Amino acid sequence: MENGAAQPVIVAIDGPSGTGKSSTSKAVAAQLGLAYLDTGAQYRAITWWMVTNGIDIDDPSAIAAVAGKPEIVSGTDPNAPTITVDGTDVSAPIRTQEVTSKVSAVSAVPEVRARITELQRSIAAGAEHGIVVEGRDIGTTVLPDADLKIFLTASPEARAARRSGELKGADLHSTREALLKRDAADSSRKTSPLAKADDAVEVDTTDLTLAQVIECVVTLVEEKRAGK
């Protein structure tokens, strides 16, 4: 099949953290010439802005009142994704423990989700060759009509091991506890919880290498494209 004739394909990849979601999504997008969007980074960005501006994270109404203020711009090149808030590059500061510990609370506020969801939909709609969008509620809420939905899972132990490998000096036990706590918060929130869409393909990454997960997802996307 000639690439020129390939239909733009929208791929939603959801799942909890530590499943290899970001690495997989970026690699698949790069390999297939698709754009890439890390929706988690957008929630981290708005959380960073709230923290930086002294907004009370424990007060949902305070968060809701300013949810429309920060200007968040996501660069969708899978080889060099970028994210800025009000023109400032925040790709490093949004990964701090402070932001990580507060992102679930900020993400649970309906006004924040409405704002970011709208942003995500406009980015997906503007991706002329197609896009891989990764997050927690993409297949269920953000892009329910995505061409292909994938839900990545892995055992808590495997996820904690991967995560503590990413977080320098993190100990495994506390990382696992933090992951499970975030899962519980994200799965139980009222507004677009972390959930597997009925029509999503589940891929358990526990015993797979990253290369195997990427290969699996690329195959799923190519099959979807061929069947269009």
Side-chain angles (χ1 to χ4, degrees):
M1 190 180 76
E2 315 86 337
N3 260 351
Q7 289 278 347
V9 62
I10 292 182
V11 183
I13 299 187
D14 290 303
S17 43
T19 51
K21 210 168 45 191
S22 292
S23 311
T24 300
S25 302
K26 272 188 276 209
V28 168
Q31 211 168 314
L32 295 174
L34 304 173
Y36 159 76
L37 179 61
D38 173 359
T39 65
Q42 295 177 313
Y43 284 106
R44 285 173 172 275
I46 200 165
T47 301
W48 173 85
W49 185 89
M50 300 278 173
V51 171
T52 306
N53 285 279
I55 308 302
D56 182 357
I57 301 299
D58 297 320
D59 181 355
S61 60
I63 292 173
V66 292
K69 281 194 166 179
E71 188 197 0
I72 297 166
V73 177
S74 296
T76 58
D77 175 355
N79 295 307
T82 56
I83 185 149
T84 62
V85 179
D86 298 332
T88 302
D89 174 8
V90 294
S91 48
I94 63 171
R95 302 290 167 189
T96 59
Q97 190 51 49
E98 185 180 23
V99 170
T100 301
S101 64
K102 296 183 165 78
V103 70
S104 285
V106 174
S107 304
V109 177
E111 289 80 359
V112 169
R113 295 207 81 78
R115 160 92 205 282
I116 302 286
T117 296
E118 189 184 352
L119 184 59
Q120 290 162 1
R121 285 179 180 152
S122 68
I123 291 169
E128 54 185 295
H129 300 297
I131 190 167
V132 176
V133 184
E134 61 135 313
R136 281 164 153 68
D137 66 337
I138 311 307
T140 49
T141 304
V142 180
L143 301 168
D145 297 329
D147 300 301
L148 176 64
K149 301 175 187 179
I150 291 167
F151 195 83
L152 296 184
T153 61
S155 71
E157 289 70 27
R159 292 166 47 212
R162 287 172 194 162
R163 213 52 193 202
S164 52
E166 289 169 21
L167 305 166
K168 304 287 175 277
D171 84 278
L172 210 57
H173 181 72
S174 62
T175 303
R176 181 175 181 272
E177 294 305 304
L179 280 177
L180 293 174
K181 193 174 158 192
R182 247 190 98 183
D183 286 354
D186 292 347
S187 303
S188 62
R189 63 166 178 248
K190 290 187 179 65
T191 312
S192 13
L194 162 66
K196 175 176 173 263
D198 293 338
D199 53 349
V201 179
E202 187 166 327
V203 178
D204 186 335
T205 70
T206 306
D207 299 319
L208 300 178
T209 63
L210 180 59
Q212 288 171 322
V213 179
I214 293 165
E215 188 184 354
C216 172
V217 175
V218 164
T219 303
L220 288 168
V221 177
E222 287 180 331
E223 282 172 359
K224 195 72 193 172
R225 267 185 168 171
K228 276 197 158 182

